[in-house]
Amino acid sequence: MSKILIVDDEIQIRSLLARMLELEGYEVCQAGDCKAAVKQLEVQSPDVVLCDVFLPDGNGVDLVLNIKKQAPNVEVILLTAHGNIPDGVQAIKNGAFDYITKGDDNNKIIPLISRAAEKARMNVRLEKLEKKVGQMYSFDSILGESKVLKEAISLAQKVSVTDVPVLLTGETGTGKEVFAQAIHYNSKRSKQNFVAVNCSSFSKELLESEMFGHKAGSFTGALKDKKGLFEEAHNGTIFLDEIGEMAFELQAKLLRILETGEYIKIGDTKPTRVNVRIIAATNRNLQEEIKEGCFREDLFYRLSVFQVHLPALRERAGDISILAAAFAKSFSEKLSYSISEMTPAFLEALEKQSWKGNIRELRNVIERSLIVCEGGRLDICDLPLEIQNTHYECSDDSAEGFELAAMERRHIARVLEYTKGNKTETARLLKIGLTTLYRKIEEYKI
């Protein structure tokens, strides 16, 4: 049950209110002046403060401001014997939950405290959620120890505290959206919306409607006004992924937003003003796109005020084991599996991959390996066949690579891959018995 702090210099009124609230199941603490109230606030951590306006050492209206600074989640209800409008207005401005008159509003106190207590609980839940989100999207959540990654993180941290547009470059799957979220949640806009849109996911007409909105009747099927994603991101951040895929005609509209902070919706005649920070990302070489006439040069220079290049996973091979361990832990919790270890052969095979799909591909491989593994131990036999084959091909220069058993293993694995795992067909092509094939699969841990 919620805890209520009653602040009043009249003992009889405090006692009456305390008795009334205790009968409702609330825990009650008391103070007779501002100084005692501040001390009780520290010691008792109440959810709601029920406070008189006129106190021996100060004014309750001013006390509201001090309480909200010290404990923002606490809700304050002011009581006064002689209510006046200016005090009420100032109390609400200072952060009071409500302002009521003694005597006339006695029957309102219990329902009012109930609502204030609920709001205080919601404040606490919201603070915990914001803290959790902040941790989830902090720069510390970006895993890796390689120098190239640390340099990218350092640049992103520096630009996050500013409000300039950012262009994130790098191959597909390198974590550009993760970086965009980290920049947003470490900026002064962190409490506002973060809106992400993939420019390659929509046709030109649909993307224009999604991004900028439209007026009712502006085209067939536009039955009502629609807010665009830029309006949804007002005062926050919009992340434009795959910006190189945006139609040339829409680029002019985006440029106008960057230059003037306004645009015109489809079917509208008046401009809409927005205050957004734009973070764009691309896996294309935009300067090459400019030469080919597919991307506006003026837009490129406005978007790329600050560029951060994200390294490919093959450029940070030392981070693969860190990422693999994190993905394995995450998926094992989700799938209720217990993973005790990843064998050296398993990690070595991962580190030898070129990872054209980067972190996204590694994540998918770990999830797949976790599903097929047995005994809580991730080994090379749990990896997809193409990764196993690559691993053994890369080992051909060693003495082990010339062993007959190693060559036989690779050959069986390739035929299994060719038959998509059909063991009967594999045995037929190898011209061996099915029992022999099963024995060799078990022996070689294919």
Side-chain angles (χ1 to χ4, degrees):
M1 182 53 77
S2 300
K3 185 182 287 187
I4 315 298
L5 169 60
I6 301 171
V7 185
D8 200 306
D9 59 329
E10 295 185 40
I11 298 175
Q12 294 87 346
I13 291 177
R14 286 207 315 265
S15 300
L16 177 64
L17 288 170
R19 179 63 180 152
M20 187 168 65
L21 292 171
E22 284 169 348
L23 288 172
E24 293 292 328
Y26 292 105
E27 187 180 344
V28 179
C29 50
Q30 302 178 34
D33 53 35
C34 294
K35 187 177 179 181
V38 170
K39 188 173 182 180
Q40 287 284 62
L41 199 66
E42 293 175 358
V43 176
Q44 299 290 344
S45 300
D47 301 292
V48 179
V49 176
L50 191 61
C51 182
D52 190 17
V53 169
F54 299 105
L55 295 166
D57 58 347
N59 185 291
V61 175
D62 297 327
L63 182 61
V64 173
L65 204 57
N66 294 334
I67 290 172
K68 296 301 281 187
K69 282 181 181 176
Q70 186 175 333
N73 294 330
V74 173
E75 294 299 331
V76 185
I77 299 170
L78 284 180
L79 292 170
T80 180
H82 308 285
N84 65 77
I85 292 173
D87 272 358
V89 170
Q90 190 58 49
I92 300 301
K93 281 184 178 179
N94 287 357
F97 183 79
D98 210 338
Y99 178 93
I100 60 174
T101 307
K102 291 179 183 177
D104 296 341
D105 293 331
N106 281 350
N107 60 328
K108 296 180 182 177
I109 290 177
I110 298 300
L112 193 61
I113 284 177
S114 177
R115 293 199 300 274
E118 177 59 29
K119 187 167 186 290
R121 286 193 292 272
M122 284 179 63
N123 292 342
V124 172
R125 287 197 294 270
L126 184 61
E127 185 181 50
K128 287 179 180 176
L129 183 61
E130 286 177 345
K131 188 176 180 181
K132 187 177 179 181
V133 168
Q135 290 171 343
M136 188 185 301
Y137 296 120
S138 71
F139 285 107
D140 291 336
S141 69
I142 300 174
L143 300 175
E145 297 297 329
S146 60
K147 184 181 177 182
V148 284
L149 180 69
K150 291 293 185 185
E151 287 172 354
I153 291 174
S154 176
L155 285 173
Q157 284 176 318
K158 288 174 183 174
V159 77
S160 65
V161 297
T162 72
D163 215 22
V164 302
V166 180
L167 180 64
L168 302 174
T169 61
E171 295 177 8
T172 298
T174 48
K176 292 188 282 291
E177 186 164 350
V178 173
F179 265 75
Q181 288 171 330
I183 291 169
H184 169 73
Y185 286 105
N186 286 273
S187 74
K188 61 185 178 183
R189 297 175 182 263
S190 60
K191 295 190 182 297
Q192 305 299 324
N193 286 345
F194 174 85
V195 178
V197 57
N198 190 316
C199 300
S200 65
S201 300
F202 302 94
S203 64
K204 170 189 169 294
E205 293 75 17
L206 193 54
L207 181 61
E208 183 174 12
S209 175
E210 287 293 318
M211 287 177 61
F212 306 112
H214 61 250
K215 300 294 286 184
S218 57
F219 55 85
T220 304
L223 303 177
K224 59 182 180 180
D225 291 357
K226 177 184 176 179
K227 286 176 69 174
L229 294 176
F230 270 94
E231 278 184 278
E232 295 290 346
H234 183 57
N235 292 326
T237 302
I238 190 164
F239 173 55
L240 303 176
D241 199 6
E242 305 298 351
I243 190 71
E245 304 284 345
M246 181 180 282
F248 198 82
E249 296 85 345
L250 294 186
Q251 294 174 24
K253 217 163 186 175
L254 180 58
L255 180 64
R256 184 178 178 184
I257 293 175
L258 283 161
E259 290 178 340
T260 66
E262 61 181 36
Y263 63 93
I264 297 177
K265 291 183 181 181
I266 301 171
D268 204 354
T269 54
K270 297 177 181 177
T272 299
R273 289 199 63 82
V274 287
N275 175 12
V276 295
R277 181 188 197 169
I278 296 175
I279 301 177
T282 183
N283 60 1
R284 293 188 175 191
N285 184 328
L286 291 185
Q287 290 177 320
E288 289 297 322
E289 296 290 310
I290 291 167
K291 289 178 184 176
E292 293 175 12
C294 299
F295 203 83
R296 294 181 64 112
E297 189 172 15
D298 47 3
L299 177 59
F300 171 73
Y301 288 119
R302 288 307 300 263
L303 286 173
S304 61
V305 174
F306 198 96
Q307 283 193 47
V308 180
H309 179 72
L310 275 58
L313 191 53
R314 62 182 171 276
E315 296 171 25
R316 38 184 291 223
D319 292 340
I320 289 174
S321 59
I322 297 171
L323 290 164
F327 291 145
K329 183 175 184 294
S330 173
F331 287 125
S332 64
E333 290 171 357
K334 191 182 293 184
L335 299 169
S336 299
Y337 286 178
S338 178
I339 298 298
S340 59
E341 69 166 318
M342 291 183 287
T343 67
F346 179 85
L347 291 173
E348 184 185 353
L350 293 180
E351 288 170 358
K352 285 180 178 177
Q353 280 298 106
S354 59
W355 298 112
K356 292 179 182 178
N358 291 292
I359 298 170
R360 191 180 295 129
E361 184 186 357
L362 174 63
R363 184 178 183 274
N364 292 342
V365 165
I366 297 299
E367 184 176 20
R368 185 259 184 206
S369 300
L370 221 69
I371 292 169
V372 301
C373 88
E374 295 177 0
R377 184 170 177 264
L378 284 170
D379 204 349
I380 191 167
C381 58
D382 301 316
L383 289 167
L385 284 174
E386 61 271 18
I387 295 181
Q388 293 185 42
N389 290 340
T390 302
H391 171 69
Y392 285 107
E393 284 166 8
C394 291
S395 304
D396 278 350
D397 291 339
S398 65
E400 183 186 343
F402 294 111
E403 289 178 6
L404 185 60
M407 294 175 70
E408 185 177 52
R409 185 197 185 284
R410 285 199 303 279
H411 186 61
I412 291 172
R414 282 172 177 163
V415 178
L416 277 166
E417 185 177 7
Y418 173 77
T419 63
K420 294 182 171 56
N422 187 322
K423 295 178 181 62
T424 303
E425 178 65 10
T426 300
R428 187 187 70 79
L429 291 170
L430 290 170
K431 292 184 169 45
I432 61 174
L434 189 59
T435 305
T436 304
L437 176 64
Y438 273 103
R439 180 173 55 78
K440 288 185 179 295
I441 287 172
E442 180 67 25
E443 179 185 343
Y444 295 139
K445 298 189 184 308
I446 299 175

PDB file of all heavy atoms in Angstrom, residues 20-21 24 26 48 77 97-98 100 105-119:
ATOM      1  N   MET A  20      -7.922   8.959   9.204  1.00  0.00           N
ATOM      2  CA  MET A  20      -8.795   8.723   8.049  1.00  0.00           C
ATOM      3  C   MET A  20      -8.066   7.901   6.976  1.00  0.00           C
ATOM      4  O   MET A  20      -8.621   6.959   6.415  1.00  0.00           O
ATOM      5  CB  MET A  20      -9.238  10.081   7.482  1.00  0.00           C
ATOM      6  CG  MET A  20     -10.268  10.019   6.381  1.00  0.00           C
ATOM      7  SD  MET A  20     -10.966  11.655   6.040  1.00  0.00           S
ATOM      8  CE  MET A  20      -9.520  12.509   5.414  1.00  0.00           C
ATOM      9  N   LEU A  21      -6.810   8.244   6.714  1.00  0.00           N
ATOM     10  CA  LEU A  21      -6.033   7.546   5.682  1.00  0.00           C
ATOM     11  C   LEU A  21      -5.621   6.143   6.124  1.00  0.00           C
ATOM     12  O   LEU A  21      -5.584   5.206   5.328  1.00  0.00           O
ATOM     13  CB  LEU A  21      -4.797   8.360   5.304  1.00  0.00           C
ATOM     14  CG  LEU A  21      -5.070   9.679   4.571  1.00  0.00           C
ATOM     15  CD1 LEU A  21      -3.795  10.498   4.442  1.00  0.00           C
ATOM     16  CD2 LEU A  21      -5.658   9.412   3.195  1.00  0.00           C
ATOM     17  N   GLU A  24      -8.168   3.673   5.551  1.00  0.00           N
ATOM     18  CA  GLU A  24      -8.240   3.288   4.130  1.00  0.00           C
ATOM     19  C   GLU A  24      -7.100   2.352   3.732  1.00  0.00           C
ATOM     20  O   GLU A  24      -7.016   1.917   2.583  1.00  0.00           O
ATOM     21  CB  GLU A  24      -8.186   4.542   3.238  1.00  0.00           C
ATOM     22  CG  GLU A  24      -9.399   5.443   3.345  1.00  0.00           C
ATOM     23  CD  GLU A  24     -10.661   4.800   2.778  1.00  0.00           C
ATOM     24  OE1 GLU A  24     -10.548   4.008   1.811  1.00  0.00           O
ATOM     25  OE2 GLU A  24     -11.754   5.071   3.312  1.00  0.00           O
ATOM     26  N   TYR A  26      -3.727   3.074   4.114  1.00  0.00           N
ATOM     27  CA  TYR A  26      -2.477   3.746   3.763  1.00  0.00           C
ATOM     28  C   TYR A  26      -1.525   3.775   4.956  1.00  0.00           C
ATOM     29  O   TYR A  26      -1.951   3.825   6.118  1.00  0.00           O
ATOM     30  CB  TYR A  26      -2.748   5.186   3.309  1.00  0.00           C
ATOM     31  CG  TYR A  26      -3.478   5.301   1.992  1.00  0.00           C
ATOM     32  CD1 TYR A  26      -4.824   5.644   1.953  1.00  0.00           C
ATOM     33  CD2 TYR A  26      -2.821   5.060   0.791  1.00  0.00           C
ATOM     34  CE1 TYR A  26      -5.511   5.740   0.748  1.00  0.00           C
ATOM     35  CE2 TYR A  26      -3.481   5.153  -0.417  1.00  0.00           C
ATOM     36  CZ  TYR A  26      -4.836   5.489  -0.435  1.00  0.00           C
ATOM     37  OH  TYR A  26      -5.508   5.575  -1.627  1.00  0.00           O
ATOM     38  N   VAL A  48       2.937   9.993  -1.847  1.00  0.00           N
ATOM     39  CA  VAL A  48       2.114  11.202  -1.973  1.00  0.00           C
ATOM     40  C   VAL A  48       2.348  12.092  -0.757  1.00  0.00           C
ATOM     41  O   VAL A  48       2.469  11.607   0.367  1.00  0.00           O
ATOM     42  CB  VAL A  48       0.609  10.849  -2.072  1.00  0.00           C
ATOM     43  CG1 VAL A  48      -0.241  12.121  -2.183  1.00  0.00           C
ATOM     44  CG2 VAL A  48       0.345   9.939  -3.264  1.00  0.00           C
ATOM     45  N   ILE A  77      -0.329  17.029  -3.118  1.00  0.00           N
ATOM     46  CA  ILE A  77      -1.665  17.641  -3.091  1.00  0.00           C
ATOM     47  C   ILE A  77      -1.626  18.750  -2.041  1.00  0.00           C
ATOM     48  O   ILE A  77      -1.247  18.508  -0.886  1.00  0.00           O
ATOM     49  CB  ILE A  77      -2.747  16.608  -2.727  1.00  0.00           C
ATOM     50  CG1 ILE A  77      -2.792  15.494  -3.764  1.00  0.00           C
ATOM     51  CG2 ILE A  77      -4.120  17.283  -2.609  1.00  0.00           C
ATOM     52  CD1 ILE A  77      -3.658  14.307  -3.368  1.00  0.00           C
ATOM     53  N   PHE A  97      -0.050  17.901  -7.899  1.00  0.00           N
ATOM     54  CA  PHE A  97      -1.054  17.038  -8.516  1.00  0.00           C
ATOM     55  C   PHE A  97      -2.410  17.714  -8.491  1.00  0.00           C
ATOM     56  O   PHE A  97      -3.168  17.650  -9.456  1.00  0.00           O
ATOM     57  CB  PHE A  97      -1.119  15.697  -7.765  1.00  0.00           C
ATOM     58  CG  PHE A  97      -2.081  14.715  -8.363  1.00  0.00           C
ATOM     59  CD1 PHE A  97      -1.742  13.986  -9.488  1.00  0.00           C
ATOM     60  CD2 PHE A  97      -3.334  14.506  -7.794  1.00  0.00           C
ATOM     61  CE1 PHE A  97      -2.630  13.077 -10.049  1.00  0.00           C
ATOM     62  CE2 PHE A  97      -4.231  13.602  -8.347  1.00  0.00           C
ATOM     63  CZ  PHE A  97      -3.868  12.885  -9.477  1.00  0.00           C
ATOM     64  N   ASP A  98      -2.723  18.389  -7.373  1.00  0.00           N
ATOM     65  CA  ASP A  98      -3.992  19.128  -7.268  1.00  0.00           C
ATOM     66  C   ASP A  98      -3.908  20.114  -6.107  1.00  0.00           C
ATOM     67  O   ASP A  98      -2.983  20.075  -5.289  1.00  0.00           O
ATOM     68  CB  ASP A  98      -5.166  18.174  -7.062  1.00  0.00           C
ATOM     69  CG  ASP A  98      -6.472  18.713  -7.665  1.00  0.00           C
ATOM     70  OD1 ASP A  98      -6.560  19.950  -7.840  1.00  0.00           O
ATOM     71  OD2 ASP A  98      -7.364  17.915  -7.966  1.00  0.00           O
ATOM     72  N   ILE A 100      -6.663  21.842  -3.318  1.00  0.00           N
ATOM     73  CA  ILE A 100      -8.059  21.823  -2.848  1.00  0.00           C
ATOM     74  C   ILE A 100      -8.219  22.616  -1.543  1.00  0.00           C
ATOM     75  O   ILE A 100      -7.249  22.865  -0.815  1.00  0.00           O
ATOM     76  CB  ILE A 100      -8.573  20.388  -2.638  1.00  0.00           C
ATOM     77  CG1 ILE A 100      -7.735  19.637  -1.586  1.00  0.00           C
ATOM     78  CG2 ILE A 100      -8.581  19.625  -3.959  1.00  0.00           C
ATOM     79  CD1 ILE A 100      -8.285  18.263  -1.244  1.00  0.00           C
ATOM     80  N   ASP A 105     -13.847  20.516   0.490  1.00  0.00           N
ATOM     81  CA  ASP A 105     -13.462  19.407  -0.390  1.00  0.00           C
ATOM     82  C   ASP A 105     -13.036  18.156   0.368  1.00  0.00           C
ATOM     83  O   ASP A 105     -12.331  17.307  -0.167  1.00  0.00           O
ATOM     84  CB  ASP A 105     -12.310  19.850  -1.308  1.00  0.00           C
ATOM     85  CG  ASP A 105     -12.750  20.921  -2.292  1.00  0.00           C
ATOM     86  OD1 ASP A 105     -13.929  20.917  -2.653  1.00  0.00           O
ATOM     87  OD2 ASP A 105     -11.901  21.737  -2.690  1.00  0.00           O
ATOM     88  N   ASN A 106     -13.469  18.035   1.664  1.00  0.00           N
ATOM     89  CA  ASN A 106     -13.043  16.879   2.463  1.00  0.00           C
ATOM     90  C   ASN A 106     -13.427  15.548   1.821  1.00  0.00           C
ATOM     91  O   ASN A 106     -12.704  14.566   1.901  1.00  0.00           O
ATOM     92  CB  ASN A 106     -13.642  16.953   3.875  1.00  0.00           C
ATOM     93  CG  ASN A 106     -12.864  17.927   4.758  1.00  0.00           C
ATOM     94  OD1 ASN A 106     -11.790  18.391   4.373  1.00  0.00           O
ATOM     95  ND2 ASN A 106     -13.402  18.240   5.926  1.00  0.00           N
ATOM     96  N   ASN A 107     -14.620  15.518   1.203  1.00  0.00           N
ATOM     97  CA  ASN A 107     -15.089  14.265   0.583  1.00  0.00           C
ATOM     98  C   ASN A 107     -14.294  13.900  -0.666  1.00  0.00           C
ATOM     99  O   ASN A 107     -14.399  12.799  -1.184  1.00  0.00           O
ATOM    100  CB  ASN A 107     -16.580  14.373   0.238  1.00  0.00           C
ATOM    101  CG  ASN A 107     -16.862  15.513  -0.731  1.00  0.00           C
ATOM    102  OD1 ASN A 107     -16.187  16.524  -0.712  1.00  0.00           O
ATOM    103  ND2 ASN A 107     -17.878  15.342  -1.565  1.00  0.00           N
ATOM    104  N   LYS A 108     -13.464  14.837  -1.150  1.00  0.00           N
ATOM    105  CA  LYS A 108     -12.651  14.573  -2.351  1.00  0.00           C
ATOM    106  C   LYS A 108     -11.272  14.021  -2.014  1.00  0.00           C
ATOM    107  O   LYS A 108     -10.566  13.539  -2.898  1.00  0.00           O
ATOM    108  CB  LYS A 108     -12.462  15.858  -3.164  1.00  0.00           C
ATOM    109  CG  LYS A 108     -13.749  16.446  -3.731  1.00  0.00           C
ATOM    110  CD  LYS A 108     -13.426  17.711  -4.514  1.00  0.00           C
ATOM    111  CE  LYS A 108     -14.699  18.361  -5.072  1.00  0.00           C
ATOM    112  NZ  LYS A 108     -14.364  19.624  -5.779  1.00  0.00           N
ATOM    113  N   ILE A 109     -10.877  14.106  -0.728  1.00  0.00           N
ATOM    114  CA  ILE A 109      -9.488  13.796  -0.371  1.00  0.00           C
ATOM    115  C   ILE A 109      -9.108  12.343  -0.666  1.00  0.00           C
ATOM    116  O   ILE A 109      -8.092  12.072  -1.311  1.00  0.00           O
ATOM    117  CB  ILE A 109      -9.209  14.134   1.110  1.00  0.00           C
ATOM    118  CG1 ILE A 109      -9.207  15.651   1.292  1.00  0.00           C
ATOM    119  CG2 ILE A 109      -7.863  13.554   1.551  1.00  0.00           C
ATOM    120  CD1 ILE A 109      -9.023  16.105   2.723  1.00  0.00           C
ATOM    121  N   ILE A 110      -9.937  11.386  -0.225  1.00  0.00           N
ATOM    122  CA  ILE A 110      -9.595   9.973  -0.397  1.00  0.00           C
ATOM    123  C   ILE A 110      -9.504   9.586  -1.874  1.00  0.00           C
ATOM    124  O   ILE A 110      -8.488   9.008  -2.300  1.00  0.00           O
ATOM    125  CB  ILE A 110     -10.603   9.063   0.344  1.00  0.00           C
ATOM    126  CG1 ILE A 110     -10.560   9.336   1.865  1.00  0.00           C
ATOM    127  CG2 ILE A 110     -10.305   7.592   0.059  1.00  0.00           C
ATOM    128  CD1 ILE A 110      -9.205   9.086   2.506  1.00  0.00           C
ATOM    129  N   PRO A 111     -10.525   9.906  -2.710  1.00  0.00           N
ATOM    130  CA  PRO A 111     -10.397   9.573  -4.142  1.00  0.00           C
ATOM    131  C   PRO A 111      -9.202  10.274  -4.802  1.00  0.00           C
ATOM    132  O   PRO A 111      -8.536   9.689  -5.663  1.00  0.00           O
ATOM    133  CB  PRO A 111     -11.711  10.072  -4.749  1.00  0.00           C
ATOM    134  CG  PRO A 111     -12.658  10.161  -3.617  1.00  0.00           C
ATOM    135  CD  PRO A 111     -11.842  10.499  -2.421  1.00  0.00           C
ATOM    136  N   LEU A 112      -8.927  11.507  -4.350  1.00  0.00           N
ATOM    137  CA  LEU A 112      -7.817  12.272  -4.921  1.00  0.00           C
ATOM    138  C   LEU A 112      -6.480  11.634  -4.574  1.00  0.00           C
ATOM    139  O   LEU A 112      -5.587  11.508  -5.429  1.00  0.00           O
ATOM    140  CB  LEU A 112      -7.876  13.711  -4.410  1.00  0.00           C
ATOM    141  CG  LEU A 112      -6.992  14.742  -5.125  1.00  0.00           C
ATOM    142  CD1 LEU A 112      -7.376  14.845  -6.598  1.00  0.00           C
ATOM    143  CD2 LEU A 112      -7.132  16.103  -4.455  1.00  0.00           C
ATOM    144  N   ILE A 113      -6.337  11.199  -3.331  1.00  0.00           N
ATOM    145  CA  ILE A 113      -5.101  10.545  -2.898  1.00  0.00           C
ATOM    146  C   ILE A 113      -4.921   9.218  -3.640  1.00  0.00           C
ATOM    147  O   ILE A 113      -3.806   8.853  -4.023  1.00  0.00           O
ATOM    148  CB  ILE A 113      -5.092  10.342  -1.369  1.00  0.00           C
ATOM    149  CG1 ILE A 113      -4.803  11.674  -0.688  1.00  0.00           C
ATOM    150  CG2 ILE A 113      -4.065   9.292  -0.953  1.00  0.00           C
ATOM    151  CD1 ILE A 113      -4.839  11.649   0.808  1.00  0.00           C
ATOM    152  N   SER A 114      -6.029   8.498  -3.843  1.00  0.00           N
ATOM    153  CA  SER A 114      -5.966   7.236  -4.571  1.00  0.00           C
ATOM    154  C   SER A 114      -5.419   7.456  -5.988  1.00  0.00           C
ATOM    155  O   SER A 114      -4.547   6.706  -6.451  1.00  0.00           O
ATOM    156  CB  SER A 114      -7.357   6.605  -4.639  1.00  0.00           C
ATOM    157  OG  SER A 114      -7.319   5.426  -5.405  1.00  0.00           O
ATOM    158  N   ARG A 115      -5.907   8.500  -6.667  1.00  0.00           N
ATOM    159  CA  ARG A 115      -5.437   8.796  -8.023  1.00  0.00           C
ATOM    160  C   ARG A 115      -3.986   9.254  -8.014  1.00  0.00           C
ATOM    161  O   ARG A 115      -3.197   8.885  -8.889  1.00  0.00           O
ATOM    162  CB  ARG A 115      -6.328   9.867  -8.673  1.00  0.00           C
ATOM    163  CG  ARG A 115      -7.749   9.401  -8.954  1.00  0.00           C
ATOM    164  CD  ARG A 115      -8.422  10.295  -9.996  1.00  0.00           C
ATOM    165  NE  ARG A 115      -8.500  11.679  -9.574  1.00  0.00           N
ATOM    166  CZ  ARG A 115      -9.483  12.190  -8.829  1.00  0.00           C
ATOM    167  NH1 ARG A 115     -10.473  11.398  -8.401  1.00  0.00           N
ATOM    168  NH2 ARG A 115      -9.493  13.470  -8.502  1.00  0.00           N
ATOM    169  N   ALA A 116      -3.636  10.079  -7.015  1.00  0.00           N
ATOM    170  CA  ALA A 116      -2.251  10.566  -6.910  1.00  0.00           C
ATOM    171  C   ALA A 116      -1.281   9.416  -6.639  1.00  0.00           C
ATOM    172  O   ALA A 116      -0.181   9.360  -7.196  1.00  0.00           O
ATOM    173  CB  ALA A 116      -2.149  11.615  -5.810  1.00  0.00           C
ATOM    174  N   ALA A 117      -1.714   8.468  -5.772  1.00  0.00           N
ATOM    175  CA  ALA A 117      -0.863   7.313  -5.455  1.00  0.00           C
ATOM    176  C   ALA A 117      -0.646   6.440  -6.686  1.00  0.00           C
ATOM    177  O   ALA A 117       0.459   5.938  -6.930  1.00  0.00           O
ATOM    178  CB  ALA A 117      -1.487   6.495  -4.324  1.00  0.00           C
ATOM    179  N   GLU A 118      -1.710   6.265  -7.478  1.00  0.00           N
ATOM    180  CA  GLU A 118      -1.597   5.481  -8.709  1.00  0.00           C
ATOM    181  C   GLU A 118      -0.637   6.147  -9.693  1.00  0.00           C
ATOM    182  O   GLU A 118       0.185   5.487 -10.331  1.00  0.00           O
ATOM    183  CB  GLU A 118      -2.981   5.299  -9.334  1.00  0.00           C
ATOM    184  CG  GLU A 118      -2.980   4.546 -10.661  1.00  0.00           C
ATOM    185  CD  GLU A 118      -2.386   3.153 -10.570  1.00  0.00           C
ATOM    186  OE1 GLU A 118      -2.464   2.518  -9.486  1.00  0.00           O
ATOM    187  OE2 GLU A 118      -1.803   2.696 -11.575  1.00  0.00           O
ATOM    188  N   LYS A 119      -0.734   7.476  -9.786  1.00  0.00           N
ATOM    189  CA  LYS A 119       0.166   8.215 -10.686  1.00  0.00           C
ATOM    190  C   LYS A 119       1.609   8.102 -10.200  1.00  0.00           C
ATOM    191  O   LYS A 119       2.539   7.969 -11.006  1.00  0.00           O
ATOM    192  CB  LYS A 119      -0.247   9.677 -10.779  1.00  0.00           C
ATOM    193  CG  LYS A 119       0.547  10.466 -11.833  1.00  0.00           C
ATOM    194  CD  LYS A 119      -0.075  11.794 -12.131  1.00  0.00           C
ATOM    195  CE  LYS A 119       0.638  12.507 -13.276  1.00  0.00           C
ATOM    196  NZ  LYS A 119       1.964  12.983 -12.936  1.00  0.00           N
TER     197      LYS A 119
END
